[in-house]
Amino acid sequence: DWRARGRGHILRYVALKWALCFLVGVLSAAAGFVANLGVENVAGAKFVVTSNLMLAGRYGTAFAVFLVSNFALTMLATVLTVYVAPAAAGSGIPEVKAYLNGVDAPDIFSLKTLVVKIVGCIAAVSSSLHVGKAGPLVHTGACIASILGQGGSSKYHLTCKWLRYFKNDRDRRDLVTCGAGAGIAAAFRAPVGGVLFALEAVSSWWRSALLWRAFFTTAMVAVVLRALIDFCKSDKCGLFGKGGLIMFDVTSDYITYHLVDLPPVITLGVLGGVLGSLHNFFLDKVLRLYNFINEKGQKYKLLLAAVVTICTSCCLFGLPWIASCKPCPSDTEEACPSIGRSGATYGRLVGMLIGSQSTLDHGLFAVLGSAALLGGSMRMTVSVCVVILELTNNLLMLPLVMLVLLISKTVADAFNANIYDLLVKLKGFPYLEGHVEPYMRQLSVSDVVTGPLQAFNGIEKVGHIVHVLRTTGHNGFPVVDEPPFSDSPVLFGLVLRAHLLVLLRKKDFIPNCSASALDASKQFLPHDFAKPGSGKHDRIEEIEFSAEELEMFVDLHPFTNTSPYTVVETMSLAKAHVLFREVGLRHLLVLPKSSKRAPVVGILTRHDFMPEHILGLHPFLFKTRWKKVRFGKSAFTNLVF
Amino acid sequence: DWRARGRGHILRYVALKWALCFLVGVLSAAAGFVANLGVENVAGAKFVVTSNLMLAGRYGTAFAVFLVSNFALTMLATVLTVYVAPAAAGSGIPEVKAYLNGVDAPDIFSLKTLVVKIVGCIAAVSSSLHVGKAGPLVHTGACIASILGQGGSSKYHLTCKWLRYFKNDRDRRDLVTCGAGAGIAAAFRAPVGGVLFALEAVSSWWRSALLWRAFFTTAMVAVVLRALIDFCKSDKCGLFGKGGLIMFDVTSDYITYHLVDLPPVITLGVLGGVLGSLHNFFLDKVLRLYNFINEKGQKYKLLLAAVVTICTSCCLFGLPWIASCKPCPSDTEEACPSIGRSGATYGRLVGMLIGSQSTLDHGLFAVLGSAALLGGSMRMTVSVCVVILELTNNLLMLPLVMLVLLISKTVADAFNANIYDLLVKLKGFPYLEGHVEPYMRQLSVSDVVTGPLQAFNGIEKVGHIVHVLRTTGHNGFPVVDEPPFSDSPVLFGLVLRAHLLVLLRKKDFIPNCSASALDASKQFLPHDFAKPGSGKHDRIEEIEFSAEELEMFVDLHPFTNTSPYTVVETMSLAKAHVLFREVGLRHLLVLPKSSKRAPVVGILTRHDFMPEHILGLHPFLFKTRWKKVRFGKSAFTNLVF
């Protein structure tokens, strides 16, 4: 409806959109810079003290310092997360992915979460835990985007009036996509990789204009990061720049490779795929265990974190004593996600083992190894490839990296799903898959519509609305015009719970159902119906009604969406799923085939497309042949679609 | 329905899909290699002879040789195109783009077109015309993909039985997308750029699995091209490798740039945007003129080509005599599209003019200049950026390239549309835009449904079907069950013209409308209804019917798609457009709001969403306020969406 406004408004809207992208880019870059700065100063100070003590021969004290500092840092991160912002736990990418799929988890993009995420990320990474900065930075970027998009955080009165244009889902989702891309760009200084990551890994819908805006955002990130690093070159930033934001440095000017090198590279890819899927498998199990422990209470969470950090510190300090000392190769340091680092080690190992038969150097094998593990675990081909290219600044090995990524992804897809999907499932988000499960083709939409349908009349009694809102959790209700307002029951449209709450809060009711208030809509500003910030939700319980008010009526016509998307009840569930997913719906009305029944027979939401729901309603699908086939399919669906 | 088959079938299907991608990659690389080889040998021989003559002082003879060879080559290309395969004319990218949007232009992907395209491309590029290889190679890649996807060309009996799995639109469209990406990858040796080009410029729908497959295809292109070039290093390929497939060569190891360099770079971007949009403007005018001439007949086409080549030859030979001789900088040679070459010249010029104030070198300015012109003309940001990076093999100037591209695209978007959209419009394809025109929000679907609706009964008289098929051009017809087969008229589904033709050709009719042939569908194999190759179309005129046959009936139920997508007649046209475009429909049934009318009131096709059609029906939209607003909007729509 912004198009109904004048040209001035449109210009302002467009300018604001770009300005927000610009701000998201700048702030994400700043956040990434602060995170790096913090990590390098804290971890750097820790390592300097520890190694000085070790050089002085005081190994016991060194270990104590190492252990205590790690413990303190981990505990800081854990306490912050547990008691201040539980939504900041974990990598954050699954949350962003679920949000862009249409799942609004509470609090994931609040200001509190943002601050805790940055501080927690610095503390956790500095404490030598096996975690990376990429996930937190993606979440940070998305947080920044979401907060800017909703015009600041109203809870802390940090709002800004002219940022309030974006009170709708689509604009916010676009901004969050840009923010996620900016996060990756800030983590790896890989602007193109960031855009591709946003496209490949997190977004569920994509428009070509978004490509352009995401590109602009990540370009800003790159420019700002460059400026900040230039600023730090003159030793103003403590230990910064002495180990972080380091790129792979494959120094050979021209990497030559021939057909002879293919077998080791393919082996690397296959092994990387197997190891990557094993990593996912064990991560899944370990996280299930953690979840089990965490559910017992906040103290158990702290205890778990303490145990993990002590074990990690002991291992890190102890393991080098076991292996014989070797001169450390200089190019294993890198800015990859945590799994990338193991990957580089793995690649180097393979490279050393079969290096005698190959003309490729070990540094290249380290790069390819990390590519293989990343491909096997994250299953993102194009974005990982571009990120690695941007990190290494060497395009000549592109075909090799592509080959390794494709092989490892294919191998790993045969075993299990990618790490983010596993995490999304583990967190219980109702994520709507892009592909259709095979059994959906056998069902029609009427097979999954459940429960009594709650519909409203065009002019409805307040008491009925309040009762329905209190007793159901639905977010959308069909509005049906019944006689005497029309000659037969006719579907008028769909009204949202949020809009009903605004109406009820206003308490501008009409005394009886025949008097039609023609200008009811004029008493509301468009702003009243704007989507509130993510933390703010009206509740029906908060509104009080007197007995008379409950007997009055309210005219829903002006507040109803008169063009809801609809399907006929005999529509195949698979096709309804395609419609639901491609158009990005929240509610889908089901119309009857025969004209003799009520004008609307049901309403489909995201939850009606979840496999658990469908298989719960039709257990025979699971029991009979689909169990077997589904099991076999899990490997194929990724290949086919 | 392939999912109904066993696991063996699925494995075969998946394996075949990947094998086809592999083949498309290999063949596209081979085509690109052949094109390059041809161009460099032919053009190289021409230049060697000419320059030898010039060194010998025989300028007149040299000019004659140059002119005659150019003329002969251009005429070869023109004659082939005009008399053998008219669909091969032009760059080919608009055709691919329109196909992927759902427009099936006749013959664009036939084997004839493919051969003519390759030969014509070699001849045209060798004849020193101002044309590039990128467009033809994209078209070539798409042709290869389409021909492989439909199982060979049945016209020339080059079919292959096991390639016949892909008789549906989606698989073919996916393959063609991969083929287009492979074309760019082959033209520039830029695999990632190819994928992004396919994503950004040509495709209308995108699935994340497609990203992966396109990536695989372009990786194959890169590998094969590398192998072929390795093979050619030992001087087996004539003049090949002495000028072609050359990359930009910005030799400075580390390009430094600072804030001081921003103003010239921004100027470059702004000028590039203006020049790019001017280029589009004049190209549009020139092509309209060409179209006007070409419509007069084939001889005029030949005449036009002859005039153009003679003018070009004279200019190329004459112009260097005017300017004073300078040592030619070595890095203006490049493999960019034709406009890129002008861009590099332009950038170098700007660089020389303002070079004194800047620390950047001229080579970099050439690169940035070509980026600016490409951004201004093609309006593809991410893919042009990646292609340039892959050509130059230098990631350090990424932020500068991004900046220039963004500025030039923004500036140019304020003036006119991108070059491919202009060409698509010029060719008259009913291209379905991704964004919704503002006036669509004011209309409901019932406002654009026109003409009498042709519906069939569930069991329909053959004569009626034949009459309807002969008198209308529709491709889909609703099937309605009327009494006595149901108690009230009920929409059963949608039947396609192609399927009706198969039914009629089989002539398996039933004598009267009460006898229901229960197993009618068993007499057909699924293959009978498979989509035929792009060149093959049944026509109703080709089927002969006797008088008795016309009086018989046919049961349409088994051949009807029972879950067509539907909208209610009061649905906003804008939302119907979103549905049509996002789900990728060809037909959309319009249902009545009131249950008292016929069960289906209209059918929407692609043509009903064309602005010409809508504004023709509702001229007041154009006349009153929207004309003004639309004019202003044309600049905005690209910015906003």
Side-chain angles (χ1 to χ4, degrees):
Chain A
D1 44 356
W2 59 267
R3 281 177 184 274
R5 298 179 210 158
R7 282 187 65 174
H9 271 91
I10 296 173
L11 254 182
R12 212 163 121 194
Y13 176 83
V14 172
L16 194 59
K17 243 177 177 171
W18 285 96
L20 277 182
C21 282
F22 175 77
L23 278 179
V24 168
V26 171
L27 291 179
S28 300
F33 182 72
V34 167
N36 267 304
L37 198 68
V39 168
E40 295 187 19
N41 277 310
V42 174
K46 187 183 76 181
F47 281 120
V48 166
V49 171
T50 311
S51 54
N52 282 346
L53 284 172
M54 284 177 79
L55 289 176
R58 296 166 60 192
Y59 297 110
T61 327
F63 179 64
V65 168
F66 188 69
L67 185 68
V68 168
S69 59
N70 282 350
F71 185 77
L73 287 168
T74 311
M75 278 307 150
L76 171 66
T78 317
V79 167
L80 274 178
T81 312
V82 171
Y83 290 105
V84 183
S91 107
I93 295 180
E95 279 88 353
V96 176
K97 197 172 174 182
Y99 173 77
L100 292 176
N101 192 264
V103 184
D104 265 329
D107 255 353
I108 51 168
F109 293 141
S110 68
L111 189 63
K112 216 166 59 179
T113 310
L114 173 63
V115 174
V116 169
K117 195 95 199 181
I118 296 178
V119 177
C121 166
I122 295 175
V125 176
S126 313
S127 73
S128 304
L129 284 181
H130 188 71
V131 292
K133 293 186 291 272
L137 281 178
V138 168
H139 194 173
T140 304
C143 266
I144 291 173
S146 173
I147 291 172
L148 283 178
Q150 71 191 42
S153 171
S154 57
K155 201 168 170 188
Y156 302 100
H157 306 291
L158 293 171
T159 54
C160 185
K161 207 175 168 193
W162 55 269
L163 282 178
R164 290 188 175 225
Y165 268 76
F166 298 99
K167 291 284 180 186
N168 69 65
D169 273 333
R170 208 194 56 180
D171 289 331
R172 252 182 233 172
R173 211 183 281 146
D174 286 359
L175 259 183
V176 169
T177 310
C178 292
I184 285 288
F188 302 128
R189 278 175 70 191
V192 180
V195 173
L196 286 173
F197 174 83
L199 165 64
E200 193 177 7
V202 299
S203 74
S204 298
W205 294 280
W206 192 264
R207 296 175 303 125
S208 101
L210 198 52
L211 193 68
W212 187 29
R213 234 170 308 134
F215 192 58
F216 173 72
T217 314
T218 57
M220 284 306 119
V221 172
V223 169
V224 171
L225 268 186
R226 186 170 182 91
L228 288 174
I229 290 168
D230 272 357
F231 172 77
C232 272
K233 280 220 175 107
S234 41
D235 275 337
K236 289 180 198 136
C237 311
L239 290 166
F240 179 79
K242 304 206 163 51
L245 280 175
I246 278 186
M247 300 179 168
F248 278 96
D249 191 14
V250 183
T251 37
S252 5
D253 273 342
Y254 189 80
I255 297 174
T256 51
Y257 42 88
H258 310 282
L259 278 182
V260 189
D261 301 327
L262 278 185
V265 168
I266 290 172
T267 319
L268 199 70
V270 172
L271 283 179
V274 173
L275 289 177
S277 69
L278 271 181
H279 170 266
N280 286 4
F281 178 77
F282 284 117
L283 192 77
D284 192 42
K285 295 292 168 211
V286 167
L287 284 179
R288 274 175 205 280
L289 180 67
Y290 283 10
N291 270 0
F292 179 72
I293 295 172
N294 285 343
E295 274 164 15
K296 290 194 175 170
Q298 295 180 329
K299 287 193 184 146
Y300 282 91
K301 290 188 187 180
L302 295 183
L303 197 66
L304 178 65
V307 171
V308 170
T309 185
I310 292 175
C311 289
T312 310
S313 298
C314 292
C315 288
L316 282 176
F317 202 83
L319 279 182
W321 298 94
I322 299 168
S324 60
C325 207
K326 275 187 193 174
C328 185
S330 67
D331 58 336
T332 43
E333 307 264 335
E334 69 197 84
C336 257
S338 48
I339 191 171
R341 208 164 310 161
S342 341
T345 321
Y346 149 72
R348 177 170 298 274
L349 201 70
V350 174
M352 284 175 176
L353 288 178
I354 54 180
S356 49
Q357 293 135 41
S358 169
T359 57
L360 302 175
D361 74 20
H362 291 173
L364 181 59
F365 260 107
V367 174
L368 292 179
S370 71
L373 268 201
L374 287 172
S377 168
M378 298 188 184
R379 316 287 162 79
M380 300 178 296
T381 47
V382 184
S383 49
V384 167
C385 177
V386 173
V387 165
I388 287 179
L389 289 180
E390 289 187 289
L391 282 174
T392 56
N393 192 17
N394 193 325
L395 283 155
L396 294 170
M397 60 182 181
L398 179 62
L400 286 183
V401 174
M402 286 175 110
L403 196 67
V404 163
L405 277 172
L406 284 169
I407 293 172
S408 68
K409 177 175 156 75
T410 314
V411 169
D413 269 344
F415 294 110
N416 52 18
N418 78 57
I419 192 166
Y420 300 125
D421 285 351
L422 288 178
L423 288 175
V424 165
K425 199 173 270 178
L426 210 60
K427 298 219 171 199
F429 295 131
Y431 190 83
L432 207 59
E433 293 289 340
H435 60 264
V436 176
E437 294 287 337
Y439 52 79
M440 286 191 186
R441 289 175 192 255
Q442 305 213 316
L443 299 172
S444 70
V445 288
S446 56
D447 293 333
V448 297
V449 170
T450 50
L453 177 71
Q454 298 289 354
F456 292 129
N457 281 324
I459 296 181
E460 184 59 87
K461 206 172 170 184
V462 173
H464 184 226
I465 297 179
V466 170
H467 174 73
V468 168
L469 289 185
R470 282 197 180 142
T471 53
T472 68
H474 303 176
N475 286 312
F477 303 90
V479 175
V480 175
D481 273 337
E482 299 215 5
F485 297 100
S486 64
D487 43 359
S488 65
V490 167
L491 172 67
F492 186 74
L494 183 80
V495 68
L496 297 178
R497 170 185 282 260
H499 293 181
L500 285 177
L501 287 174
V502 175
L503 272 183
L504 293 178
R505 191 179 286 278
K506 188 91 172 182
K507 296 203 175 174
D508 183 39
F509 305 135
I510 47 178
N512 58 63
C513 70
S514 59
S516 122
L518 276 176
D519 53 354
S521 62
K522 295 213 177 123
Q523 300 174 9
F524 293 91
L525 296 169
H527 179 75
D528 290 335
F529 291 103
K531 193 174 162 74
S534 58
K536 227 172 107 191
H537 286 297
D538 275 341
R539 289 233 196 85
I540 182 69
E541 287 78 15
E542 293 165 2
I543 313 177
E544 302 273 325
F545 297 96
S546 65
E548 300 115 66
E549 279 172 350
L550 288 178
E551 288 301 313
M552 291 171 86
F553 289 84
V554 61
D555 184 4
L556 298 177
H557 288 115
F559 311 103
T560 303
N561 168 13
T562 54
S563 338
Y565 285 100
T566 55
V567 289
V568 175
E569 59 181 337
T570 51
M571 174 74 120
S572 137
L573 187 61
K575 290 181 99 171
H577 182 279
V578 170
L579 168 63
F580 202 89
R581 160 86 192 207
E582 295 294 324
V583 183
L585 300 180
R586 288 189 189 278
H587 305 100
L588 183 59
L589 290 180
V590 181
L591 302 184
K593 189 116 194 179
S594 153
S595 51
K596 296 207 172 134
R597 293 164 60 200
V600 54
V601 296
I603 190 163
L604 288 175
T605 64
R606 164 181 301 271
H607 292 277
D608 293 319
F609 290 102
M610 291 295 118
E612 301 80 38
H613 175 247
I614 297 171
L615 293 175
L617 283 176
H618 302 277
F620 66 92
L621 287 177
F622 193 65
K623 273 185 196 147
T624 57
R625 66 183 277 231
W626 289 111
K627 185 171 183 178
K628 206 167 54 207
V629 183
R630 274 194 81 215
F631 183 74
K633 284 277 165 49
S634 65
F636 290 122
T637 40
N638 277 311
L639 292 169
V640 176
F641 283 99
Chain B
D1 44 354
W2 59 268
R3 280 176 185 275
R5 299 179 210 156
R7 284 189 62 175
H9 271 91
I10 296 175
L11 252 183
R12 211 162 122 194
Y13 176 83
V14 173
L16 193 59
K17 244 178 176 171
W18 285 96
L20 278 182
C21 281
F22 175 76
L23 278 179
V24 167
V26 170
L27 291 179
S28 298
F33 182 72
V34 167
N36 266 304
L37 198 67
V39 167
E40 295 188 18
N41 277 311
V42 174
K46 187 184 76 181
F47 280 120
V48 165
V49 171
T50 311
S51 54
N52 282 344
L53 284 172
M54 284 177 81
L55 288 176
R58 296 165 61 193
Y59 297 110
T61 328
F63 180 64
V65 169
F66 189 69
L67 187 65
V68 168
S69 59
N70 281 350
F71 185 79
L73 286 168
T74 310
M75 279 308 152
L76 171 67
T78 316
V79 167
L80 273 177
T81 311
V82 171
Y83 291 105
V84 182
S91 109
I93 294 181
E95 279 87 352
V96 176
K97 197 173 173 178
Y99 173 79
L100 291 176
N101 192 262
V103 184
D104 265 328
D107 256 353
I108 49 169
F109 293 141
S110 68
L111 190 62
K112 216 166 58 178
T113 310
L114 173 62
V115 173
V116 169
K117 195 94 200 183
I118 296 178
V119 177
C121 167
I122 295 175
V125 176
S126 312
S127 73
S128 303
L129 284 181
H130 187 70
V131 292
K133 294 186 291 274
L137 281 178
V138 168
H139 194 173
T140 305
C143 266
I144 292 172
S146 174
I147 290 170
L148 283 179
Q150 72 191 42
S153 172
S154 57
K155 200 170 173 186
Y156 302 101
H157 305 291
L158 293 172
T159 54
C160 185
K161 206 176 168 193
W162 56 270
L163 281 179
R164 289 188 177 227
Y165 268 77
F166 298 97
K167 290 286 181 186
N168 69 65
D169 273 332
R170 208 193 59 180
D171 289 331
R172 254 183 231 172
R173 211 183 281 145
D174 286 358
L175 259 182
V176 168
T177 310
C178 292
I184 285 287
F188 302 129
R189 278 174 70 192
V192 180
V195 173
L196 286 174
F197 174 83
L199 165 65
E200 193 177 7
V202 299
S203 73
S204 297
W205 295 280
W206 192 263
R207 297 175 302 123
S208 101
L210 197 52
L211 192 69
W212 187 30
R213 235 172 305 135
F215 193 58
F216 173 73
T217 314
T218 57
M220 285 306 119
V221 171
V223 169
V224 171
L225 267 186
R226 187 170 180 90
L228 288 174
I229 290 169
D230 271 356
F231 172 79
C232 270
K233 280 224 175 104
S234 41
D235 276 335
K236 290 179 197 136
C237 310
L239 290 167
F240 179 80
K242 305 207 163 45
L245 280 177
I246 279 186
M247 299 180 171
F248 278 96
D249 192 13
V250 183
T251 38
S252 4
D253 273 341
Y254 189 81
I255 296 175
T256 50
Y257 42 88
H258 309 281
L259 278 182
V260 189
D261 301 327
L262 279 184
V265 169
I266 289 172
T267 318
L268 199 71
V270 172
L271 284 178
V274 172
L275 291 177
S277 68
L278 272 179
H279 171 267
N280 287 5
F281 178 78
F282 284 118
L283 192 77
D284 191 42
K285 296 292 169 210
V286 168
L287 285 179
R288 275 176 204 280
L289 179 69
Y290 283 11
N291 270 1
F292 179 72
I293 296 171
N294 286 343
E295 274 164 14
K296 290 192 176 170
Q298 296 179 328
K299 286 189 184 150
Y300 283 90
K301 291 188 189 182
L302 294 183
L303 197 67
L304 179 65
V307 171
V308 170
T309 185
I310 293 175
C311 289
T312 310
S313 299
C314 294
C315 288
L316 282 176
F317 203 83
L319 280 183
W321 298 95
I322 300 169
S324 61
C325 208
K326 276 189 194 174
C328 187
S330 65
D331 59 337
T332 44
E333 307 264 332
E334 72 196 83
C336 255
S338 47
I339 191 171
R341 207 165 309 163
S342 339
T345 322
Y346 148 72
R348 177 170 297 276
L349 202 70
V350 174
M352 284 175 175
L353 288 179
I354 53 180
S356 48
Q357 294 134 41
S358 168
T359 57
L360 302 175
D361 74 22
H362 293 173
L364 180 59
F365 260 105
V367 174
L368 292 179
S370 72
L373 268 200
L374 287 172
S377 169
M378 298 186 181
R379 316 286 161 83
M380 301 177 297
T381 48
V382 184
S383 50
V384 167
C385 177
V386 173
V387 165
I388 287 179
L389 289 181
E390 290 186 290
L391 283 174
T392 56
N393 191 18
N394 194 324
L395 283 155
L396 294 171
M397 60 183 180
L398 177 63
L400 286 182
V401 174
M402 287 176 110
L403 196 68
V404 164
L405 278 171
L406 283 169
I407 293 172
S408 68
K409 178 174 156 76
T410 313
V411 170
D413 268 345
F415 294 111
N416 53 17
N418 78 57
I419 192 165
Y420 300 124
D421 284 350
L422 289 177
L423 289 175
V424 165
K425 199 172 269 178
L426 210 61
K427 298 220 170 196
F429 295 131
Y431 189 83
L432 207 60
E433 294 288 340
H435 61 263
V436 176
E437 294 286 338
Y439 53 79
M440 285 190 185
R441 287 174 193 256
Q442 307 214 316
L443 299 172
S444 70
V445 290
S446 56
D447 294 332
V448 299
V449 170
T450 51
L453 176 72
Q454 298 288 355
F456 291 129
N457 282 325
I459 296 179
E460 183 60 87
K461 207 173 172 184
V462 173
H464 184 225
I465 297 179
V466 171
H467 173 74
V468 168
L469 289 185
R470 281 196 180 143
T471 52
T472 68
H474 302 176
N475 285 312
F477 303 91
V479 174
V480 175
D481 272 337
E482 300 215 6
F485 297 100
S486 63
D487 42 359
S488 65
V490 167
L491 172 67
F492 186 74
L494 183 81
V495 68
L496 297 179
R497 169 184 284 259
H499 294 182
L500 285 176
L501 288 173
V502 175
L503 271 183
L504 294 178
R505 192 178 285 275
K506 188 91 173 182
K507 295 201 175 175
D508 183 39
F509 305 134
I510 47 180
N512 59 62
C513 69
S514 59
S516 124
L518 276 176
D519 53 353
S521 61
K522 294 211 177 124
Q523 301 174 10
F524 293 91
L525 297 169
H527 179 74
D528 291 335
F529 290 104
K531 193 174 162 76
S534 58
K536 228 172 105 190
H537 287 297
D538 274 341
R539 288 230 199 87
I540 182 69
E541 287 77 15
E542 292 166 3
I543 313 176
E544 302 273 325
F545 296 97
S546 66
E548 302 114 66
E549 279 172 348
L550 288 178
E551 288 301 313
M552 290 171 86
F553 288 84
V554 61
D555 184 2
L556 298 179
H557 288 115
F559 311 103
T560 304
N561 168 13
T562 54
S563 343
Y565 285 98
T566 55
V567 289
V568 176
E569 59 180 337
T570 51
M571 175 74 120
S572 138
L573 187 62
K575 289 181 100 171
H577 182 279
V578 170
L579 168 64
F580 202 89
R581 159 85 194 210
E582 294 294 323
V583 182
L585 299 180
R586 289 189 188 278
H587 305 99
L588 183 59
L589 291 181
V590 181
L591 302 185
K593 187 117 194 178
S594 154
S595 51
K596 295 205 172 137
R597 295 164 59 198
V600 55
V601 295
I603 190 163
L604 288 175
T605 63
R606 163 181 301 272
H607 293 277
D608 294 317
F609 290 101
M610 291 295 119
E612 301 80 38
H613 175 248
I614 297 172
L615 293 175
L617 282 176
H618 302 277
F620 66 91
L621 286 178
F622 193 63
K623 272 183 195 148
T624 55
R625 67 182 278 228
W626 289 111
K627 185 171 184 178
K628 207 168 52 206
V629 183
R630 273 193 81 216
F631 183 74
K633 283 278 164 49
S634 64
F636 290 121
T637 41
N638 277 312
L639 291 170
V640 177
F641 282 101

